[in-house]
Amino acid sequence: MNRLAATALAILAGLTLATPATASQWKWRDGARIVYSDRPPPANIPERAILERPTGMARGAVPPSPSGPSLVDPTPARVAAAPASASTEPALEAKMRKEAAEKAAKEKADEAKLASVRADNCLRAKGQLKLLDDGVRIARTNQKGEREILDDKQRAEEQARVSKIVASDCK
């Protein structure tokens, strides 16, 4: 008899403890499937699709979680429906904005540096082109370290090369 009483007491305790868990569950129909959750359904679920709600709970009593309800049967369609870019964490959004601002500032600094280099190249190329056009004798050092004077053919090649630089860098 003692064993029978202990068994009955265990069953009674089990039923008593299980009741609050089932009483705090939401149950609604989402398309062709039934969803169970401890959170209320999302706002796009109509009232007629809600099959069960916790005792004494209204639909808006508990705010939905940022990632939506915890589903018993998560499907890829439901996961894909959650917006990937909408974040409710301010720290994460602030970090993303800061990274975007840093990236934009870096790109702007790179563009400014490139513009400065081009302006310097333009100035030097224009000076070199003026020197070549004036007909002044120009000497340069060859591979052996010897000084050599440009002849007319070499001067024309150098003028063509410098003219291309002026055309590309002096816009």
Side-chain angles (χ1 to χ4, degrees), residues 1-63:
M1 190 95 152
N2 201 6
R3 188 173 172 184
L4 182 61
T7 305
L9 186 61
I11 291 174
L12 184 61
L15 289 174
T16 304
L17 295 174
T19 304
T22 58
S24 66
Q25 291 290 313
W26 288 84
K27 178 180 174 184
W28 69 88
R29 183 173 301 279
D30 186 16
R33 63 190 176 102
I34 295 178
V35 179
Y36 296 87
S37 176
D38 61 341
R39 301 296 215 155
N44 64 345
I45 302 296
E47 274 299 317
R48 60 182 161 68
I50 299 174
L51 305 174
E52 288 181 26
R53 64 181 75 219
T55 309
M57 288 288 239
R59 182 179 187 144
V62 179

